[in-house]
Amino acid sequence: MKSGLIIFFIKRAIQDIFNNRFLHAVTITTIALSILIVSAFGLFLSNAGDIMDSWKKGIRIMAYLDKDVELKQIAELEQKILDLYGVADIRFISKAEALQQLKAEMNRQTSLFEDLKENPLPDVFEVQMMASTQNWEKIEVLAAQIERLPHVGGVEYGQHWLGRVIGIFNLFKFTGIVMACIFFMASVLIVANTIRLLFYSRQQELEIMRLVGATDGFIKAPFYIESVIQGILGGITGILVLFVIFWVITSNVEQDFSAGFFNLRFLPVGMFLGIIFGSMFAGWLGCYLSLKQFLKV
Amino acid sequence: MKSGLIIFFIKRAIQDIFNNRFLHAVTITTIALSILIVSAFGLFLSNAGDIMDSWKKGIRIMAYLDKDVELKQIAELEQKILDLYGVADIRFISKAEALQQLKAEMNRQTSLFEDLKENPLPDVFEVQMMASTQNWEKIEVLAAQIERLPHVGGVEYGQHWLGRVIGIFNLFKFTGIVMACIFFMASVLIVANTIRLLFYSRQQELEIMRLVGATDGFIKAPFYIESVIQGILGGITGILVLFVIFWVITSNVEQDFSAGFFNLRFLPVGMFLGIIFGSMFAGWLGCYLSLKQFLKV
Amino acid sequence: MQFCGQHRKITTKYLLFLLSGQTVFSTFNNHTGKTEGMNEHHRENTIIRMFHVYKRYGAKNALVDISIDVRKNEMLLVTGPSGAGKSTLLKLLYLGEPVSEGQILIEGINLSRISNKRIPFLRRKFGIIFQDYKLIPTKTVFDNIAMVLEVTGESFRFIQKKVSSVLRTVGMEGKLNAFPPSLSGGEQQRVAVARAVVGDPKIILADEPTGSLDSESASIIMGLLKGFHDRGTTVIIATHDHEIIRKTKGRALYLKEGSIQSEDVKPTKKRPITI
Amino acid sequence: MQFCGQHRKITTKYLLFLLSGQTVFSTFNNHTGKTEGMNEHHRENTIIRMFHVYKRYGAKNALVDISIDVRKNEMLLVTGPSGAGKSTLLKLLYLGEPVSEGQILIEGINLSRISNKRIPFLRRKFGIIFQDYKLIPTKTVFDNIAMVLEVTGESFRFIQKKVSSVLRTVGMEGKLNAFPPSLSGGEQQRVAVARAVVGDPKIILADEPTGSLDSESASIIMGLLKGFHDRGTTVIIATHDHEIIRKTKGRALYLKEGSIQSEDVKPTKKRPITI
Ligand SMILES: Nc1ncnc2c1ncn2[C@@H]1O[C@H](COP(=O)(O)OP(=O)(O)OP(=O)(O)O)[C@@H](O)[C@H]1O
Ligand SMILES: Nc1ncnc2c1ncn2[C@@H]1O[C@H](COP(=O)(O)OP(=O)(O)OP(=O)(O)O)[C@@H](O)[C@H]1O
Ligand SMILES: [Mg+2]
Ligand SMILES: [Mg+2]
């Protein structure tokens, strides 16, 4: 009996979605659009986050040593740097190595180095930081600490633009979260509105049903089913569209200008499920808010 | 009489918006959101376009000359380069100048250059391009042409990332246009839906009005007025919210990391008017589509 | 003003129709068996003519071969059992539905040739009491009645005076600001009557105007309708109420399953019987 | 099944109410002036009791101090002019509106103490013919009637058989798949009657059940209601139709401006008069 009733309700809900297909199409489209935008942002952030992480991993503090440092002092210094909080690894690059590298990099002007009597470069420590040292301020603090150590002639770290990029990225992340909230609310409002309108358009019918002895559950169930279906359909549509767009972009654009550079991934499974669940919840909540207004039970 | 009727209709429309304020609030919010997103994108693009232009102006092709070029040949070459299509200006930098510049740039390793017997750098032409040479392909073509000239040892142009950035910018522009279309359609659909629902909820009333002799114009006018008002309100709200966001961001963030670098502007007046008009039109079109379905006149 | 212009145009159109529409008329003449001369005289006095009208809903014949003439200022009673086609007959007159076959002329305007734009102006000739009242539940009694005058662009002052006076006539002056769902069945019916007569229409179509009324209220309403009739309005009443049929002077049309079963003409005070 | 459980619970509740509610009863006793013993006997046979019921809409008194008892299997006619409060009286019984003052007991359940959750089960005791029919315009005649059985969870087979048989009784078997707006006034009313009786209710509330019907259809419907009455159903009919009042045996209540003006008891075949 009970399961028969659920089937009866689902049948009614689907029939009703079909009867009001224009209304539902608009609702589902709106939800899908919201989901599309939010998940596009999520996709962007999740990929940008990956890139950012790899860049962050690449951030190194270069500590240039004074000219006349002895081997023993170098070993001591190495230990001191390693003891600092936030340092993950350290690598010593002798001035000979450094010159080699410089020559390799400046291949166009090699003649420049041909006549050198003496290696003008200093020895250097390449300091790698722990992953937890995510933000720019911490990197700056660490660099200052290193600079204050004896025998360190100067430090250089990252390119300054990386600081800016991280700032922008965090701004984006924040924007993304705000947008997700706005669109969630928008979806809830839209569903609430749809249900409200369905309710209006069937007010007479529902009133009559109540008069012939229908319980509130009997009256409400189809609305809940409809709005959850709307939410799910909207969510799936949004993500599907995003996937198609993603697929088109990655298969056309990636090799052009990011081959081997980025490695674009689609949304992680957790995020995917979260989005679908979120849109379902938006449907449910919209219905709940709408019905709460009408039926004071 | 005629103007009295218009006032009558506007009064009716405003009263009706008030009576169905929830429905209208949702519609206006949705339109505002669409407008917000589209105009945020427009704002981003219009500013990014400015920056892009200034960057593009900064793109120069550096033509390195062979080592043993004479002054007369240099003058000839200058003329040849100037004759190429797309070249706006040209500047000769002698090797002495170049070394000076290099020394200034690499101040940390000045010792490197102290012992040089001879200047290892080549003479160079700095070629500036016309503004019309906007896209990357044209720059590449021009660079290849210059490289093929006699006495030119090699060319270097821009930083390679600029090409990428331009590519990404164009992609963004395209995305922006697609999004604008999508959101325009979404707004039209939402308005159409709202009007349709209003129509449904008042079908009985309108039918009765028709039976007592109301003309179609008398019946339709309030709907048109309502939907245009919706469009305008939605558009203004969206742009207002964008302006607030823009104002908060520029007054807090700009000095941090883009002072003097960017010079952010709000939407150009044309775009602003375009957006308001677009949302108004969306309202009208939504109403038109919706009424067309119902009244076959 | 606008309406008069409209009217003149339509009249011209009707004259053109007359010139071309001889066959229709001859059919009609055969049916009634009257002479051409009499018919000519008739036409001037006739406000509604139906020639062999059929109305079908799918396979269902709601009206079958209806041919009647209604004179200006006539009182016509349409009667018959439930589902006989009384409401349908009225519906065809105000273009609530198109005819399936046959012709209807109202003040010389052929309804099957009228353009959509002119339908509203045609409908303003009628005051209609619908069987199901058709009151707008979201508007007050006042607004429901005022609507009729608003669509013709009357001034607010005039509307207010007129609506109040008409509500007084039907005994509903106390319910000016009530909404229809809060009225009793009979009260709703009286509002519907008020709306039908507020525009001083040329023709009143009353579909069961007293179905929800006790005999006292019913005779007030019937008195009102008779008053309009006395002042020159054409009145058509569809009813199954024997009381009304017995008490009302005028022609009675008995419908059954869509056909006219009998025409019973009762003596009116002034006029001789012409059909 | 569910319903019976419900019912038992409510009965228990009522017994508790009786133990605590002596004052109400003594008021009632004073009013009727009968002995306690007779009342005890009464109570068993009584299906509806109203004690000093008032209903106000704003300043308007729709019902004033109504106290009546309706016995199981009684036929009660409520009559009076338009706006007298007939429909309001019925509305209070099925909790279409709450009372403003006073108490109503239905099968011992006090309506002012019933929880919201139980209202649907209360309403399933009633079969109601509404004055304005209250048919759902977007559902077919079949679905409109089937709804009553759907809400109680009947099987589709049973619903189909039952609806068809009831439609046959009111003479509407041909309109199974029609939508209400395409029916004539009388046909709609007959569908409304069919919906009211399809659930075999304990009490039938009929508000102008024959207002839109010609005398022939009306007597079929009245015959149907009398048939239910003969099989043990309590029937309350609100009407202003003198014909019905004259022809129907049972108690007649004459309302005027919300008060009971007279109770006229006509002899029924079997039962002696007890009030
Ligand atoms: N829109 C429609 N679609 C299908 N059938 C219709 C429609 N309108 C009316 N009918 C049918 O036409 C017949 C005549 O209907 P009509 O409303 O004219 O009857 P009536 O004489 O007014 O009856 P009543 O006294 O019950 O109001 C009925 O059988 C009805 O079912
Ligand atoms: N919801 C309401 N709000 C305000 N007044 C109401 C409401 N419902 C009914 N009334 C008023 O209460 C009075 C009694 O109404 P009711 O519907 O009971 O009359 P009735 O006896 O059924 O009359 P009729 O024979 O015309 O149907 C009427 O004057 C009516 O206007
Ligand atoms: Mg009818
Ligand atoms: Mg009533």
Side-chain angles (χ1 to χ4, degrees), chain A residues 37 111-112 120 183 197 257 261, chain B residues 22 37 112 120 164 183 197:
Chain A
I37 291 163
S111 57
L112 191 64
F183 280 110
L197 291 164
F257 70 95
F261 185 23
Chain B
F22 187 85
I37 292 163
L112 189 65
R164 272 192 212 145
F183 280 110
L197 291 163

Side-chain angles (χ1 to χ4, degrees), chain A:
Chain A
M1 183 65 245
K2 202 73 191 169
S3 83
L5 208 63
I6 288 171
I7 291 168
F8 174 81
F9 282 139
I10 291 179
K11 251 159 84 187
R12 277 277 160 97
I14 290 170
Q15 189 192 319
D16 197 75
I17 287 179
F18 189 76
N19 288 344
N20 295 283
R21 52 193 170 281
F22 187 85
L23 173 60
H24 284 92
V26 172
T27 312
I28 291 171
T29 309
T30 317
I31 296 175
L33 265 179
S34 306
I35 293 292
L36 174 61
I37 291 163
V38 170
S39 57
F41 227 81
L43 182 63
F44 168 75
L45 286 177
S46 96
N47 277 299
D50 284 0
I51 295 167
M52 211 58 57
D53 280 350
S54 75
W55 281 353
K56 272 186 198 153
K57 261 188 220 130
I59 297 180
R60 289 166 173 81
I61 299 177
M62 307 299 280
Y64 297 101
L65 304 193
D66 294 335
K67 264 200 174 158
D68 47 357
V69 187
E70 280 161 37
L71 261 173
K72 211 193 98 203
Q73 287 168 323
I74 290 174
E76 265 174 37
L77 189 60
E78 179 164 10
Q79 196 50 51
K80 273 186 192 154
I81 293 176
L82 269 173
D83 287 349
L84 290 173
Y85 176 77
V87 173
D89 201 6
I90 188 165
R91 191 166 71 96
F92 179 72
I93 304 166
S94 70
K95 48 184 155 187
E97 246 177 285
L99 187 63
Q100 209 63 36
Q101 231 174 294
L102 186 65
K103 278 182 183 168
E105 276 171 21
M106 301 188 78
N107 59 339
R108 195 173 281 279
Q109 286 96 16
T110 40
S111 57
L112 191 64
F113 306 103
E114 272 161 23
D115 316 293
L116 288 176
K117 270 184 254 158
E118 191 197 338
N119 185 348
L121 298 177
D123 291 323
V124 71
F125 271 118
E126 195 187 273
V127 180
Q128 227 166 320
M129 280 154 297
M130 294 194 302
S132 68
T133 316
Q134 297 287 6
N135 66 47
W136 198 243
E137 287 79 42
K138 283 190 190 154
I139 296 173
E140 280 185 327
V141 168
L142 192 60
Q145 283 178 323
I146 292 173
E147 194 159 24
R148 263 184 272 115
L149 292 175
H151 309 302
V152 175
V155 293
E156 226 178 68
Y157 50 93
Q159 283 89 335
H160 194 61
W161 60 264
L162 193 51
R164 273 193 211 143
V165 169
I166 291 176
I168 293 175
F169 177 72
N170 286 335
L171 194 73
F172 267 41
K173 212 168 189 169
F174 179 71
T175 314
I177 292 167
V178 170
M179 269 174 65
C181 291
I182 290 177
F183 280 110
F184 180 79
M185 275 161 23
S187 298
V188 170
L189 274 183
I190 293 283
V191 174
N193 199 33
T194 309
I195 295 298
R196 194 188 161 104
L197 291 164
L198 281 180
F199 216 95
Y200 265 143
S201 71
R202 281 199 259 151
Q203 214 162 13
Q204 192 190 1
E205 174 180 344
L206 299 180
E207 185 54 34
I208 294 170
M209 284 174 77
R210 229 175 268 127
L211 288 177
V212 301
T215 55
D216 264 349
F218 192 90
I219 288 171
K220 281 178 185 175
F223 289 102
Y224 276 106
I225 293 172
E226 271 181 53
S227 33
V228 168
I229 289 178
Q230 275 177 10
I232 294 176
L233 284 183
I236 289 177
T237 311
I239 290 194
L240 226 69
V241 171
L242 180 67
F243 183 74
V244 169
I245 293 175
F246 175 80
W247 184 77
V248 168
I249 288 181
T250 48
S251 61
N252 286 320
V253 180
E254 197 176 357
Q255 61 261 50
D256 283 7
F257 70 95
S258 62
F261 185 23
F262 307 144
N263 205 344
L264 296 177
R265 291 178 306 115
F266 197 59
L267 290 175
V269 178
M271 213 174 199
F272 176 85
L273 292 179
I275 287 170
I276 296 287
F277 181 79
S279 63
M280 211 171 108
F281 179 65
W284 180 86
L285 188 64
C287 185
Y288 175 77
L289 291 178
S290 202
L291 293 191
K292 225 181 83 156
Q293 260 191 295
F294 288 103
L295 309 165
K296 289 134 216 153
V297 179

Side-chain angles (χ1 to χ4, degrees), chain D residues 56-111:
Chain D
R56 297 187 193 92
Y57 291 109
K60 164 97 192 170
N61 279 313
L63 287 178
V64 179
D65 197 18
I66 305 287
S67 293
I68 45 166
D69 259 25
V70 182
R71 276 173 296 101
K72 277 193 182 111
N73 195 16
E74 184 166 355
M75 171 76 85
L76 179 68
L77 294 165
V78 182
T79 165
S82 170
K86 306 181 289 294
S87 302
T88 304
L89 182 70
L90 301 190
K91 222 178 248 173
L92 296 184
L93 295 179
Y94 61 82
L95 271 172
E97 294 272 359
V99 297
S100 301
E101 213 176 287
Q103 308 277 335
I104 299 178
L105 293 165
I106 290 179
E107 286 202 319
I109 306 161
N110 189 330
L111 295 193

Side-chain angles (χ1 to χ4, degrees), chain D:
Chain D
M1 287 292 114
Q2 210 177 350
F3 176 67
C4 286
Q6 196 67 36
H7 182 199
R8 223 174 293 127
K9 264 187 246 158
I10 293 169
T11 315
T12 321
K13 205 181 172 192
Y14 173 48
L15 288 172
L16 290 173
F17 167 67
L18 280 188
L19 292 173
S20 68
Q22 281 306 114
T23 40
V24 176
F25 276 101
S26 44
T27 316
F28 178 67
N29 295 339
N30 291 343
H31 181 78
T32 56
K34 301 260 161 81
T35 68
E36 187 72 17
M38 263 192 84
N39 255 306
E40 281 304 328
H41 168 77
H42 234 164
R43 210 171 286 158
E44 317 237 307
N45 251 327
T46 305
I47 195 161
I48 297 172
R49 323 194 103 179
M50 301 178 91
F51 308 127
H52 303 294
V53 169
Y54 287 77
K55 178 66 194 175
R56 297 187 193 92
Y57 291 109
K60 164 97 192 170
N61 279 313
L63 287 178
V64 179
D65 197 18
I66 305 287
S67 293
I68 45 166
D69 259 25
V70 182
R71 276 173 296 101
K72 277 193 182 111
N73 195 16
E74 184 166 355
M75 171 76 85
L76 179 68
L77 294 165
V78 182
T79 165
S82 170
K86 306 181 289 294
S87 302
T88 304
L89 182 70
L90 301 190
K91 222 178 248 173
L92 296 184
L93 295 179
Y94 61 82
L95 271 172
E97 294 272 359
V99 297
S100 301
E101 213 176 287
Q103 308 277 335
I104 299 178
L105 293 165
I106 290 179
E107 286 202 319
I109 306 161
N110 189 330
L111 295 193
S112 51
R113 299 186 182 207
I114 197 168
S115 77
N116 275 335
K117 279 212 179 319
R118 288 185 180 157
I119 292 177
F121 301 98
L122 172 86
R123 286 189 181 146
R124 290 180 194 172
K125 294 184 202 287
F126 293 105
I128 313 170
I129 303 164
F130 298 95
Q131 191 168 10
D132 54 356
Y133 318 147
K134 291 201 192 298
L135 301 176
I136 300 173
T138 55
K139 288 190 171 182
T140 61
V141 166
F142 177 86
D143 285 338
N144 263 285
I145 299 173
M147 198 177 58
V148 175
L149 303 173
E150 272 167 10
V151 300
T152 62
E154 299 289 352
S155 77
F156 185 69
R157 279 183 86 82
F158 173 79
I159 292 177
Q160 208 162 25
K161 248 180 65 187
K162 186 83 197 201
V163 172
S164 306
S165 103
V166 110
L167 275 176
R168 221 172 300 123
T169 327
V170 297
M172 291 289 297
E173 62 275 25
K175 300 279 185 179
L176 203 72
N177 294 313
F179 289 89
S182 79
L183 299 178
S184 83
E187 287 165 348
Q188 287 180 34
Q189 190 156 46
R190 283 181 275 166
V191 174
V193 171
R195 186 184 58 190
V197 302
V198 75
D200 289 322
K202 291 190 173 177
I203 308 166
I204 292 177
L205 304 178
D207 200 352
E208 304 285 2
T210 60
S212 300
L213 292 173
D214 56 296
S215 47
E216 194 185 332
S217 310
S219 44
I220 294 173
I221 296 301
M222 285 311 294
L224 177 70
L225 293 179
K226 279 173 193 153
F228 272 90
H229 176 240
D230 288 342
R231 273 171 275 136
T233 308
T234 311
V235 180
I236 303 182
I237 301 175
T239 186
H240 52 67
D241 189 330
H242 295 305
E243 201 85 344
I244 291 182
I245 299 164
R246 206 177 54 239
K247 283 188 187 163
T248 311
K249 290 184 182 88
R251 180 153 56 119
L253 211 65
Y254 184 79
L255 284 182
K256 197 169 176 192
E257 288 173 11
S259 313
I260 300 178
Q261 295 289 308
S262 72
E263 274 187 60
D264 160 30
V265 188
K266 294 176 286 180
T268 48
K269 269 175 284 183
K270 318 172 215 164
R271 264 164 249 94
I273 309 143
T274 42
I275 215 167

Side-chain angles (χ1 to χ4, degrees), chain C residues 81-88 90 131-132 207-208 238 240, chain D residues 183-187 212:
Chain C
S82 169
K86 306 181 288 296
S87 302
T88 304
L90 301 191
Q131 192 169 9
D132 54 355
D207 198 352
E208 304 286 2
H240 51 69
Chain D
L183 299 178
S184 83
E187 287 165 348
S212 300

Side-chain angles (χ1 to χ4, degrees), chain B:
Chain B
M1 182 66 244
K2 202 74 189 170
S3 84
L5 209 62
I6 288 172
I7 290 169
F8 174 80
F9 282 140
I10 291 179
K11 250 159 89 185
R12 277 276 158 99
I14 289 171
Q15 191 190 320
D16 197 75
I17 288 180
F18 189 75
N19 288 344
N20 295 284
R21 53 192 170 281
F22 187 85
L23 173 60
H24 284 92
V26 172
T27 312
I28 291 171
T29 309
T30 317
I31 296 175
L33 265 179
S34 306
I35 294 292
L36 175 61
I37 292 163
V38 170
S39 57
F41 227 81
L43 182 62
F44 168 75
L45 287 177
S46 95
N47 277 298
D50 286 359
I51 295 167
M52 211 62 55
D53 280 351
S54 75
W55 282 353
K56 273 186 201 153
K57 262 186 221 129
I59 298 180
R60 290 163 172 80
I61 299 177
M62 307 300 280
Y64 297 100
L65 304 193
D66 292 336
K67 266 203 169 152
D68 44 0
V69 186
E70 280 163 35
L71 262 171
K72 211 191 101 205
Q73 288 169 322
I74 289 175
E76 265 173 39
L77 188 60
E78 179 164 10
Q79 196 49 51
K80 273 185 193 155
I81 293 176
L82 269 172
D83 286 348
L84 289 175
Y85 176 76
V87 172
D89 200 8
I90 189 165
R91 192 165 74 94
F92 179 71
I93 303 167
S94 70
K95 47 184 158 188
E97 244 178 286
L99 187 62
Q100 210 60 37
Q101 231 172 296
L102 185 65
K103 277 183 182 166
E105 276 171 21
M106 302 187 79
N107 61 337
R108 196 174 281 278
Q109 286 99 11
T110 39
S111 57
L112 189 65
F113 306 104
E114 272 161 21
D115 316 294
L116 290 176
K117 269 184 246 156
E118 191 197 339
N119 185 348
L121 299 177
D123 290 323
V124 71
F125 272 118
E126 195 187 274
V127 181
Q128 228 165 317
M129 280 153 299
M130 292 193 305
S132 68
T133 317
Q134 297 286 3
N135 66 48
W136 198 242
E137 288 80 42
K138 284 191 191 151
I139 295 172
E140 281 183 329
V141 168
L142 192 60
Q145 285 178 323
I146 292 172
E147 194 159 25
R148 263 183 272 115
L149 292 174
H151 309 301
V152 175
V155 294
E156 224 180 66
Y157 50 94
Q159 285 89 334
H160 194 61
W161 59 263
L162 193 52
R164 272 192 212 145
V165 168
I166 291 174
I168 293 175
F169 178 72
N170 287 335
L171 194 73
F172 267 42
K173 213 167 187 170
F174 179 71
T175 315
I177 292 166
V178 170
M179 267 173 67
C181 292
I182 291 178
F183 280 110
F184 180 78
M185 275 161 26
S187 297
V188 170
L189 275 183
I190 292 284
V191 174
N193 199 32
T194 309
I195 295 298
R196 194 187 161 106
L197 291 163
L198 280 181
F199 217 93
Y200 265 141
S201 72
R202 281 199 259 155
Q203 214 162 13
Q204 192 191 0
E205 174 179 344
L206 299 181
E207 185 54 34
I208 294 170
M209 283 172 77
R210 229 175 267 126
L211 289 177
V212 301
T215 56
D216 263 349
F218 191 89
I219 288 170
K220 281 178 183 175
F223 288 102
Y224 276 107
I225 294 172
E226 271 182 50
S227 32
V228 169
I229 289 178
Q230 275 177 11
I232 293 176
L233 284 184
I236 289 178
T237 312
I239 290 194
L240 226 69
V241 171
L242 180 68
F243 183 75
V244 169
I245 293 175
F246 176 80
W247 184 77
V248 168
I249 289 182
T250 46
S251 60
N252 285 320
V253 179
E254 197 177 356
Q255 62 261 49
D256 282 8
F257 72 95
S258 62
F261 187 21
F262 307 143
N263 206 342
L264 296 178
R265 292 178 306 114
F266 197 59
L267 290 176
V269 177
M271 213 175 201
F272 176 86
L273 291 180
I275 287 172
I276 296 287
F277 181 79
S279 63
M280 213 171 107
F281 179 66
W284 181 87
L285 187 65
C287 186
Y288 174 78
L289 290 177
S290 202
L291 293 191
K292 223 181 84 156
Q293 261 191 296
F294 287 103
L295 308 164
K296 288 134 217 155
V297 178

